[in-house]
Amino acid sequence: MSTSTMESVLRRDRLLVITGLSVVIALCWGYLLVEAASMARVGTMLMPMSLAPWTLAEAGLMLVMWVVMMAAMMLPSAAPMILLHVTISRRCRARGQGALTSGIFASGYLVIWVLFSVLAVALQYALERVALLSPMMTMTSLIAAGVVLIGAGIYQWTPLKYACLRHCRSPLDFMLTQWRKGAGGAFMMGLRHGMYCVGCCWVLMLLLFVGGVMNLVWIAGLALWVLVEKLAPAGHWLGRGLGVVLVGWGGATLWVALPW
């Protein structure tokens, strides 16, 4: 295959992936808009329901909500890694070294966020049972909210956060060091990238309980921050700056909440 033909094919592949990702992200945000509007209409009618244990169907619907929310928030920042995988996978296929497996790579990435969503649903249920989460899925305790904010701020400065963020911010380095052939290899790469991504962002996702799990402004703000932290030239230092802000915010929240 000539160089010009290869570039044409790569442009087509990238366009298809960008279009596909855009459609999936738009559908996810559409779902969240509908869910948020539904919750706003129901309002305080949810209070009696929150006192009873969830049914299996309710737990399943909550899991769907979390999975869709994670896809809406995380796929934009994962797009550069997926596009790079498309490029390398296509070049390998042109040399007869394997098939185009970027869809499998993306699936592995999303599997990790599905697992995270399972844990998030379990945590949400536990918080509701001890009355730390309102029917509108917002923390009812300023002390608990302050602790979460401080914990999230401190995590921004930890070596684990830095290591995971470094991998997320370096798609080429990840591909060069983690490349695996075949569909199974692509899936394992997706899983590994997903684990780095969760390691980078899991505490930020817990802030949803502070601002409101279905607060669209809060969701959009966190999604935008994740995008900036991973793609901006000074994203690492911006993340540490956010850590300082979160610790200060949490400290102020505790100051107001505690009976001095």
Side-chain angles (χ1 to χ4, degrees):
M1 185 181 295
S2 66
T3 302
S4 60
T5 303
M6 172 59 74
E7 290 302 318
S8 177
V9 171
L10 285 174
R11 282 195 297 270
R12 183 201 65 190
D13 288 346
R14 293 191 196 101
L15 180 60
L16 287 173
V17 171
I18 291 171
T19 301
L21 285 174
S22 299
V23 169
V24 171
I25 292 168
L27 289 174
C28 289
W29 279 102
Y31 173 88
L32 294 177
L33 285 169
V34 171
E35 284 294 300
S38 177
M39 285 192 63
R41 286 196 302 270
V42 173
T44 56
M45 292 174 60
L46 290 171
M47 182 67 74
M49 297 173 57
S50 69
L51 301 178
W54 292 355
T55 65
L56 187 60
E58 288 169 342
L61 289 173
M62 199 61 67
L63 177 59
V64 169
M65 183 198 74
W66 270 95
V67 170
V68 172
M69 183 162 56
M70 292 301 98
M73 295 176 71
M74 303 310 301
L75 280 177
S77 64
M81 190 75 76
I82 296 172
L83 288 171
L84 182 58
H85 190 278
V86 169
T87 299
I88 297 175
S89 183
R90 171 59 73 181
R91 293 188 182 279
C92 289
R93 185 182 183 185
R95 294 195 297 266
Q97 297 177 356
L100 192 62
T101 55
S102 298
I104 299 173
F105 172 81
S107 298
Y109 175 79
L110 289 175
V111 162
I112 295 299
W113 282 106
V114 170
L115 295 176
F116 173 84
S117 298
V118 172
L119 297 177
V121 169
L123 177 59
Q124 181 177 335
Y125 180 76
L127 290 173
E128 282 194 9
R129 298 311 296 164
V130 296
L132 284 178
L133 205 65
S134 74
M136 299 305 290
M137 294 183 281
T138 304
M139 277 191 166
T140 58
S141 167
L142 284 178
I143 294 176
V147 170
V148 172
L149 287 166
I150 291 173
I154 292 173
Y155 186 75
Q156 291 292 104
W157 284 80
T158 61
L160 179 59
K161 166 72 179 191
Y162 176 77
C164 292
L165 181 59
R166 179 170 53 83
H167 281 281
C168 290
R169 286 176 53 82
S170 307
L172 182 58
D173 180 67
F174 178 86
M175 290 296 169
L176 291 176
T177 58
Q178 306 292 333
W179 184 263
R180 301 292 184 273
K181 295 180 181 178
F187 187 74
M188 291 304 298
M189 288 175 63
L191 290 177
R192 180 159 293 188
H193 178 50
M195 286 188 286
Y196 282 128
C197 199
V198 169
C200 176
C201 302
W202 71 275
V203 178
L204 292 177
M205 296 302 105
L206 294 185
L207 293 177
L208 289 167
F209 292 114
V210 177
V213 174
M214 283 304 295
N215 182 331
L216 290 180
V217 174
W218 197 254
I219 295 171
L222 286 174
L224 180 61
W225 181 261
V226 168
L227 193 67
V228 168
E229 196 174 57
K230 291 184 179 182
L231 302 184
H236 170 60
W237 290 107
L238 290 173
R240 291 193 169 188
L242 176 66
V244 174
V245 172
L246 290 174
V247 169
W249 187 0
T253 302
L254 288 179
W255 179 267
V256 171
L258 291 174
W260 300 102

